[in-house]
Amino acid sequence: MKPLSIPISALVASLACSTAYADNIYPAHTDLPARTSLPNVSPLNSDLANRGAYVARTADCMACHREDYSGGVPIETPIGNIYSTNITPSTQYGIGNYTEADFKSALRKGRAPKHQIYPAMPYPSYHGMSDADISALFAYFQTVPIIDKPPEQTTHLPFPLNIRSLMLAWNIINVPSTENRSGLTSVQQRGEYLVNNLEHCGTCHTPRNLTQGLDQDRYLSGAPLGKWFAPNITPDNDTGIGRWSERDIIAYLRTGKLDKQAYAGGPMAEAVAHSTRYLTDEDLSAMANYLKVVPAIKTDDYLIPVNVARLPSPKSTSITYDLLEQKDYLAKAKANTSPATISQSSNQINSQNRGMENSDSPKSLYLTHCASCHGVDGYAQPDARYAAIVGLSSIRRAKPDALIGVIAFGAKGAFNTAPKMPGFEKDLSHAQIASITNYVRINFGGLSSSDVSADEVKRVIKEKG
């Protein structure tokens, strides 16, 4: 069955509910990847409820509460895991007894009818949601199927963190978490609203202050996120996304990938899968336009410029979609890499790793553990949603922590059909992970050298594990 599309009247209302755009023209992009049809709309529902289905996507509710809103998803925080709640219309386990005023209080103030909500639910950002969007979202949640059971896991924090009333003091300091800027065009105002409030990008991409609120002086400049690191998305040319065009930003938010630049994994993959791929071209354009004018912040984790001349070329034009050719090429590469063979790049690896046995040569390790998915030359099979890794920014950062983390802990792709990358923390030694890290950075990142050590791998695993 073809997915239902949101009614035209409701879609128009969703775009105009907060800001008018009559005097602005969005950037013209005629070659954008197609938007995914919006699910969870029905001709049986009101236009208000169907508009709320779009608001739910822009607010990324599903990433934390699941597609059926049953909750139970662990959200890693410095004080322990906080589990999302059931937000279906169940009167016993969900929000079926909420009035619209209760709903608005939860979104804007972090206040449920009977208790304070932990700010793992991004109410410091939702604080800026418009009345119209909250009303539409509330109408939509009255229409979702009831899940009449509690989440499989619920939040249990140790004393005194289990005293939810402590959040009242936290809220005074940290809510709201963002302020509107002056001098923006109406398109940029819409982008600001989406980035700062609905999509709550700062929740992941902004460092925290001593109270674990957002550090506004370093807004969107990148922050650790459990086993992940949310990168700098300010328009700084060296450490952020300043070299990305608006079209690049739109394409990445729509598909979760950007050729030879970026591939979404972890929490960002979830944001793409549950939210941004459903957004209209106009809303993605507004976000991209706004991200180009936020204050640029330079950090110490700069990107090493890609040297295209050092990047490999695919063996053939067909290998990225021909599974048999890919398997045959891998078999030959393994046969030609005898235990005594050391790859050219291994001579550039630090002396600590040169002492390993020949079977642990960087190339052998990569071919054994990585190439069946990512390909001998790093181009993988994108049609099957195996990630191409050639030129990615995550392997060209001065700090190798992000790449080490992916190899050690694995990664989940942007869509449910994408295979999940396993982690090798328990299967490979720190020295072996370091060797693979160096091999990938040199051969697929175009770096002239890389000296990641076993000690660095040990540190990253300890910090993020």
Side-chain angles (χ1 to χ4, degrees):
M1 178 181 290
K2 183 179 180 180
L4 290 168
S5 297
I6 191 168
I8 295 298
S9 59
L11 182 55
V12 170
S14 75
L15 296 178
C17 63
S18 301
T19 311
Y21 313 113
D23 60 341
N24 288 272
I25 300 175
Y26 284 96
H29 299 293
T30 58
D31 59 343
L32 292 176
R35 171 192 178 208
T36 302
S37 297
L38 187 70
N40 304 330
V41 298
S42 168
L44 301 178
N45 293 337
S46 67
D47 279 356
L48 182 66
N50 283 332
R51 179 160 63 82
Y54 183 77
V55 175
R57 289 292 170 183
T58 61
D60 200 11
C61 303
M62 300 79 173
C64 290
H65 293 278
R66 303 187 191 279
E67 285 285 335
D68 63 359
Y69 306 108
S70 62
V73 175
I75 301 164
E76 293 184 20
T77 76
I79 62 175
N81 281 353
I82 294 176
Y83 293 89
S84 61
T85 58
N86 181 332
I87 55 171
T88 73
S90 169
T91 56
Q92 184 173 0
Y93 301 109
I95 60 172
N97 291 320
Y98 276 39
T99 64
E100 186 170 334
D102 293 333
F103 189 67
K104 182 182 294 185
S105 180
L107 286 173
R108 287 184 172 170
K109 300 178 181 178
R111 175 66 185 175
K114 296 181 179 180
H115 61 264
Q116 290 294 134
I117 299 172
Y118 289 112
M121 198 280 274
Y123 63 83
S125 297
Y126 291 160
H127 182 87
M129 283 183 67
S130 69
D131 288 340
D133 278 353
I134 291 175
S135 293
L137 191 60
F138 182 73
Y140 166 66
F141 276 121
Q142 311 311 303
T143 70
V144 304
I146 294 172
I147 305 293
D148 243 342
K149 62 180 181 180
E152 294 180 1
Q153 298 192 71
T154 55
T155 303
H156 296 286
L157 297 178
F159 178 84
L161 299 174
N162 62 336
I163 303 175
R164 290 176 177 262
S165 58
L166 293 175
M167 295 301 102
L168 291 170
W170 190 92
N171 291 346
I172 292 173
I173 301 171
N174 296 297
V175 179
S177 64
T178 56
E179 296 180 1
N180 293 334
R181 291 173 54 194
S182 59
L184 300 179
T185 68
S186 59
V187 170
Q188 291 165 351
Q189 288 172 4
R190 174 65 178 175
E192 179 184 54
Y193 177 63
L194 289 164
V195 169
N196 292 356
N197 303 127
L198 289 180
E199 291 287 353
H200 53 279
C201 303
T203 300
C204 293
H205 290 275
T206 301
R208 300 282 169 167
N209 57 32
L210 291 176
T211 67
Q212 291 302 304
L214 300 186
D215 182 347
Q216 290 305 309
D217 292 336
R218 297 186 290 166
Y219 181 61
L220 299 181
S221 65
L225 191 67
K227 293 181 174 65
W228 292 86
F229 184 85
N232 183 345
I233 56 171
T234 74
D236 180 72
N237 283 342
D238 299 319
T239 64
I241 58 172
R243 301 185 192 279
W244 289 26
S245 67
E246 288 188 27
R247 189 207 176 280
D248 289 340
I249 297 172
I250 296 167
Y252 179 71
L253 293 175
R254 177 63 54 77
T255 65
K257 59 185 179 180
L258 199 58
D259 185 45
K260 292 185 175 67
Q261 293 190 74
Y263 189 88
M268 189 63 211
E270 294 172 357
V272 173
H274 296 292
S275 178
T276 58
R277 65 175 170 144
Y278 296 100
L279 269 58
T280 62
D281 291 350
E282 292 80 5
D283 272 353
L284 290 184
S285 292
M287 291 178 67
N289 198 307
Y290 174 67
L291 287 172
K292 297 297 284 187
V293 300
V294 301
I297 298 176
K298 188 178 295 293
T299 69
D300 60 353
D301 188 19
Y302 62 90
L303 280 172
I304 300 170
V306 63
N307 184 344
V308 177
R310 293 185 59 88
L311 296 180
S313 299
K315 175 179 177 293
S316 69
T317 57
S318 59
I319 198 167
T320 61
Y321 59 83
D322 187 329
L323 177 60
L324 294 179
E325 183 182 7
Q326 184 101 240
K327 290 178 66 176
D328 183 58
Y329 185 38
L330 175 57
K332 290 179 179 178
K334 287 182 176 179
N336 292 333
T337 307
S338 65
T341 301
I342 304 293
S343 71
Q344 179 180 359
S345 66
S346 70
N347 294 324
Q348 299 162 313
I349 305 299
N350 66 338
S351 58
Q352 177 177 349
N353 293 328
R354 290 194 189 115
M356 293 188 301
E357 294 182 4
N358 291 337
S359 59
D360 275 352
S361 74
K363 184 175 183 179
S364 293
L365 287 168
Y366 176 82
L367 291 177
T368 299
H369 300 285
C370 313
S372 60
C373 294
H374 296 295
V376 174
D377 296 324
Y379 285 92
Q381 289 189 300
D383 288 353
R385 301 201 186 280
Y386 287 98
I389 58 176
V390 175
L392 295 186
S393 59
S394 58
I395 66 179
R396 292 187 288 108
R397 289 198 168 273
K399 294 182 178 180
D401 296 25
L403 177 57
I404 293 171
V406 169
I407 296 171
F409 302 116
K412 183 179 180 181
F415 305 108
N416 292 334
T417 54
K420 182 178 180 180
M421 175 179 166
F424 295 98
E425 174 195 6
K426 296 180 180 179
D427 298 320
L428 298 176
S429 69
H430 296 154
Q432 289 173 321
I433 292 176
S435 281
I436 293 175
T437 302
N438 288 319
Y439 182 84
V440 168
R441 283 162 65 83
I442 292 170
N443 287 275
F444 308 129
L447 276 62
S448 60
S449 64
S450 179
D451 59 356
V452 176
S453 68
D455 286 341
E456 282 185 275
V457 173
K458 182 179 180 180
R459 172 187 59 78
V460 171
I461 291 175
K462 182 177 180 182
E463 291 176 354
K464 296 182 178 295

PDB file of all heavy atoms in Angstrom, residues 37 46 83 117 131 177 255 284 312 337 432:
ATOM      1  N   SER A  37       7.779   9.888   2.580  1.00  0.00           N
ATOM      2  CA  SER A  37       6.375  10.189   2.846  1.00  0.00           C
ATOM      3  C   SER A  37       6.086  10.130   4.335  1.00  0.00           C
ATOM      4  O   SER A  37       6.559   9.236   5.040  1.00  0.00           O
ATOM      5  CB  SER A  37       5.464   9.200   2.101  1.00  0.00           C
ATOM      6  OG  SER A  37       5.630   9.321   0.704  1.00  0.00           O
ATOM      7  N   SER A  46      -8.418  14.968  11.936  1.00  0.00           N
ATOM      8  CA  SER A  46      -8.557  16.383  11.609  1.00  0.00           C
ATOM      9  C   SER A  46      -7.260  16.909  11.008  1.00  0.00           C
ATOM     10  O   SER A  46      -6.183  16.329  11.192  1.00  0.00           O
ATOM     11  CB  SER A  46      -8.907  17.184  12.864  1.00  0.00           C
ATOM     12  OG  SER A  46      -7.809  17.165  13.776  1.00  0.00           O
ATOM     13  N   TYR A  83      15.084   6.497  31.396  1.00  0.00           N
ATOM     14  CA  TYR A  83      14.279   5.770  30.418  1.00  0.00           C
ATOM     15  C   TYR A  83      13.046   6.583  30.034  1.00  0.00           C
ATOM     16  O   TYR A  83      12.367   7.156  30.892  1.00  0.00           O
ATOM     17  CB  TYR A  83      13.864   4.402  30.974  1.00  0.00           C
ATOM     18  CG  TYR A  83      15.047   3.479  31.156  1.00  0.00           C
ATOM     19  CD1 TYR A  83      15.766   3.476  32.350  1.00  0.00           C
ATOM     20  CD2 TYR A  83      15.469   2.641  30.137  1.00  0.00           C
ATOM     21  CE1 TYR A  83      16.871   2.643  32.527  1.00  0.00           C
ATOM     22  CE2 TYR A  83      16.566   1.808  30.295  1.00  0.00           C
ATOM     23  CZ  TYR A  83      17.267   1.821  31.496  1.00  0.00           C
ATOM     24  OH  TYR A  83      18.359   1.014  31.655  1.00  0.00           O
ATOM     25  N   ILE A 117       9.930  16.410  35.507  1.00  0.00           N
ATOM     26  CA  ILE A 117      10.507  15.547  34.479  1.00  0.00           C
ATOM     27  C   ILE A 117      12.000  15.831  34.399  1.00  0.00           C
ATOM     28  O   ILE A 117      12.431  16.975  34.485  1.00  0.00           O
ATOM     29  CB  ILE A 117       9.847  15.820  33.114  1.00  0.00           C
ATOM     30  CG1 ILE A 117       8.344  15.515  33.188  1.00  0.00           C
ATOM     31  CG2 ILE A 117      10.503  14.995  32.007  1.00  0.00           C
ATOM     32  CD1 ILE A 117       7.580  15.953  31.939  1.00  0.00           C
ATOM     33  N   ASP A 131       2.400  27.962  20.660  1.00  0.00           N
ATOM     34  CA  ASP A 131       1.120  27.432  21.116  1.00  0.00           C
ATOM     35  C   ASP A 131       0.454  26.603  20.023  1.00  0.00           C
ATOM     36  O   ASP A 131      -0.141  25.557  20.292  1.00  0.00           O
ATOM     37  CB  ASP A 131       0.188  28.582  21.515  1.00  0.00           C
ATOM     38  CG  ASP A 131       0.596  29.258  22.816  1.00  0.00           C
ATOM     39  OD1 ASP A 131       1.344  28.639  23.605  1.00  0.00           O
ATOM     40  OD2 ASP A 131       0.173  30.412  23.048  1.00  0.00           O
ATOM     41  N   SER A 177      16.883  27.281  27.305  1.00  0.00           N
ATOM     42  CA  SER A 177      18.282  27.001  27.008  1.00  0.00           C
ATOM     43  C   SER A 177      18.805  27.839  25.851  1.00  0.00           C
ATOM     44  O   SER A 177      19.996  27.902  25.613  1.00  0.00           O
ATOM     45  CB  SER A 177      18.463  25.517  26.671  1.00  0.00           C
ATOM     46  OG  SER A 177      17.756  25.190  25.493  1.00  0.00           O
ATOM     47  N   THR A 255      19.304  12.311   4.031  1.00  0.00           N
ATOM     48  CA  THR A 255      19.744  10.943   3.750  1.00  0.00           C
ATOM     49  C   THR A 255      20.666  10.343   4.809  1.00  0.00           C
ATOM     50  O   THR A 255      20.872   9.136   4.833  1.00  0.00           O
ATOM     51  CB  THR A 255      20.500  10.894   2.412  1.00  0.00           C
ATOM     52  OG1 THR A 255      21.720  11.655   2.525  1.00  0.00           O
ATOM     53  CG2 THR A 255      19.652  11.464   1.287  1.00  0.00           C
ATOM     54  N   LEU A 284      14.015  22.023   5.719  1.00  0.00           N
ATOM     55  CA  LEU A 284      15.439  21.691   5.705  1.00  0.00           C
ATOM     56  C   LEU A 284      16.260  22.863   5.172  1.00  0.00           C
ATOM     57  O   LEU A 284      17.368  23.133   5.658  1.00  0.00           O
ATOM     58  CB  LEU A 284      15.692  20.440   4.862  1.00  0.00           C
ATOM     59  CG  LEU A 284      15.172  19.122   5.445  1.00  0.00           C
ATOM     60  CD1 LEU A 284      15.586  17.957   4.548  1.00  0.00           C
ATOM     61  CD2 LEU A 284      15.676  18.881   6.864  1.00  0.00           C
ATOM     62  N   PRO A 312      41.639   6.362  -2.438  1.00  0.00           N
ATOM     63  CA  PRO A 312      41.580   5.270  -3.417  1.00  0.00           C
ATOM     64  C   PRO A 312      40.423   5.464  -4.386  1.00  0.00           C
ATOM     65  O   PRO A 312      39.469   6.194  -4.105  1.00  0.00           O
ATOM     66  CB  PRO A 312      41.351   4.034  -2.536  1.00  0.00           C
ATOM     67  CG  PRO A 312      40.609   4.573  -1.347  1.00  0.00           C
ATOM     68  CD  PRO A 312      41.181   5.935  -1.098  1.00  0.00           C
ATOM     69  N   THR A 337      47.451 -11.023   0.456  1.00  0.00           N
ATOM     70  CA  THR A 337      48.001 -10.442   1.675  1.00  0.00           C
ATOM     71  C   THR A 337      48.410 -11.585   2.592  1.00  0.00           C
ATOM     72  O   THR A 337      47.672 -11.994   3.478  1.00  0.00           O
ATOM     73  CB  THR A 337      46.980  -9.533   2.378  1.00  0.00           C
ATOM     74  OG1 THR A 337      46.494  -8.573   1.438  1.00  0.00           O
ATOM     75  CG2 THR A 337      47.615  -8.795   3.555  1.00  0.00           C
ATOM     76  N   GLN A 432      45.436  -3.846  18.212  1.00  0.00           N
ATOM     77  CA  GLN A 432      44.816  -4.182  16.930  1.00  0.00           C
ATOM     78  C   GLN A 432      43.834  -3.102  16.499  1.00  0.00           C
ATOM     79  O   GLN A 432      43.776  -2.726  15.323  1.00  0.00           O
ATOM     80  CB  GLN A 432      44.111  -5.539  17.043  1.00  0.00           C
ATOM     81  CG  GLN A 432      45.063  -6.713  17.143  1.00  0.00           C
ATOM     82  CD  GLN A 432      44.339  -8.025  17.418  1.00  0.00           C
ATOM     83  OE1 GLN A 432      43.362  -8.068  18.195  1.00  0.00           O
ATOM     84  NE2 GLN A 432      44.792  -9.089  16.781  1.00  0.00           N
TER      85      GLN A 432
END
